[in-house]
Amino acid sequence: MSRGKKLYEGKAKILYEGPEPGTLVAHFKDDATAFNNKKRATLEGKGVLNNRISEFIMTQLNSIGVPTHFIRRLNMREQLVREVEIVPLEVVVRNVAAGSIAKRLGLEEGEALPRSIVEFYYKNDALEDPMVSEEHITAFNWATTQDIDDMLAMSLRVNDFMSGLFAGAGIRLVDFKLEYGRVYDQNDMPRLILADEISPDSCRLWDIETNEKMDKDRFRRDLGNVTEAYAEVARRLGIMKENGPSEANEAK
Ligand code: UDP
């Protein structure tokens, strides 16, 4: 499978032109960044793990009727996805207080929230992704009221599904971030589908018994064993064998 020219390089992924119009190839890098790029590292094997974990979750979401950009995995580091017009928002769903909500509202990290909470952030590195309200989103035409309703409904459905999926693997889904993209169907009607990735880079995942962190907070907070924790998530989901991924086993 040949990929075309490089279109965009982000912090953790590179996007190439895909083999057919309307497709892209997403390449998962080992680079990790946090605190708006102030902290950086290369974590060997992270890209391979995130490619597999995201494939696993997106495939299951597709199968329960949540539309996603995922088409198929191509190799250890690459997946074929639908090209979308990205909505410039990060949609965060929270079940348990952690990270920025704990700080902002003075909540104890680990406190269960009274119900799942959905928040919107404007995707803009220079502004450090500020939190925005529906008023901002519609006033600046980032998305319509209908889009917001669709994102809320889809995000809560993804939350219910993923909470169960992870609970079955002994993992608490504390919070996560989603991104959406717009696609146009035959009749030129726009519709939103899930885009980007779902991985331990974009979720907070705690061991259900010990509350041990199994996500990017291990990198943000210098807890060590970052890729080992990601590999454990993959292992518990039944994706990887005990000894983790090996790029030597699969054609690049
Ligand atoms: N998140 C993300 N990308 C971002 C910001 C947040 O994937 O640019 C994820 C983060 O990993 C966590 C959730 O969204 O699972 C909520 O993050 P929070 O607002 O608490 O911010 P943080 O503590 O990461 O700064």
Side-chain angles (χ1 to χ4, degrees):
M1 167 85 52
S2 59
R3 62 185 192 205
K5 72 169 194 278
K6 190 199 260 194
L7 298 175
Y8 170 82
E9 178 152 6
K11 286 172 255 180
K13 287 191 294 299
I14 307 174
L15 293 177
Y16 298 93
E17 271 176 352
E20 289 144 37
T23 65
L24 299 176
V25 172
H27 175 102
F28 286 69
K29 301 192 287 183
D30 284 342
D31 297 350
T33 67
F35 310 120
N36 203 31
N37 252 331
K38 287 180 204 90
K39 179 171 178 151
R40 295 167 196 241
T42 303
L43 303 169
E44 205 188 322
K46 178 180 79 89
V48 173
L49 286 158
N50 283 354
N51 187 27
R52 291 295 288 264
I53 294 169
S54 199
E55 169 199 18
F56 180 79
I57 296 173
M58 294 268 190
T59 301
Q60 302 221 23
L61 289 172
N62 278 334
S63 76
I64 62 157
V66 175
T68 85
H69 74 158
F70 181 82
I71 302 172
R72 67 174 183 276
R73 188 167 62 84
L74 299 171
N75 55 50
M76 292 294 271
R77 285 187 184 272
E78 290 174 337
Q79 50 181 244
L80 185 67
V81 301
R82 271 189 84 169
E83 183 172 25
V84 300
E85 236 175 65
I86 203 84
V87 175
L89 297 171
E90 299 198 339
V91 182
V92 169
V93 184
R94 303 178 183 276
N95 300 306
V96 175
S100 68
I101 198 176
K103 205 164 157 193
R104 192 181 322 117
L105 303 183
L107 305 174
E108 186 86 40
E109 193 162 76
E111 207 177 295
L113 296 170
R115 59 177 171 82
S116 302
I117 295 176
V118 184
E119 300 170 338
F120 295 99
Y121 294 83
Y122 177 42
K123 246 171 92 69
N124 185 313
D125 280 346
L127 300 174
E128 302 194 10
D129 300 344
M131 187 160 149
V132 291
S133 72
E134 300 191 14
E135 276 290 287
H136 302 113
I137 296 169
T138 52
F140 294 108
N141 265 319
W142 296 325
T144 64
T145 309
Q146 180 65 57
D147 290 337
I148 294 172
D149 286 349
D150 292 348
M151 287 189 285
L152 285 170
M154 275 197 269
S155 301
L156 289 171
R157 184 141 186 253
V158 170
N159 183 45
D160 285 345
F161 178 77
M162 287 202 340
S163 293
L165 181 76
F166 281 113
I171 295 170
R172 191 185 326 278
L173 179 62
V174 170
D175 58 30
F176 60 96
K177 183 262 303 178
L178 299 175
E179 294 188 26
Y180 289 90
R182 208 169 274 116
V183 291
Y184 295 86
D185 289 335
Q186 290 93 329
N187 51 3
D188 262 0
M189 282 292 287
R191 114 189 129 86
L192 294 184
I193 65 174
L194 210 53
D196 197 49
E197 70 181 83
I198 301 178
S199 72
D201 268 5
S202 60
C203 302
R204 280 198 173 90
L205 304 170
W206 296 356
D207 181 279
I208 225 158
E209 300 284 332
T210 64
N211 284 335
E212 194 187 353
K213 298 183 198 312
M214 307 176 72
D215 56 60
K216 193 170 161 183
D217 272 346
R218 299 203 70 84
F219 169 67
R220 295 190 189 97
R221 302 180 188 188
D222 289 321
L223 300 173
N225 297 326
V226 185
T227 44
E228 288 81 356
Y230 286 31
E232 175 63 10
V233 171
R235 193 192 64 77
R236 289 199 196 178
L237 289 173
I239 305 170
M240 300 277 200
K241 309 242 159 35
E242 297 289 334
N243 41 6
S246 164
E247 279 181 277
N249 296 340
E250 196 162 339
K252 294 262 275 189

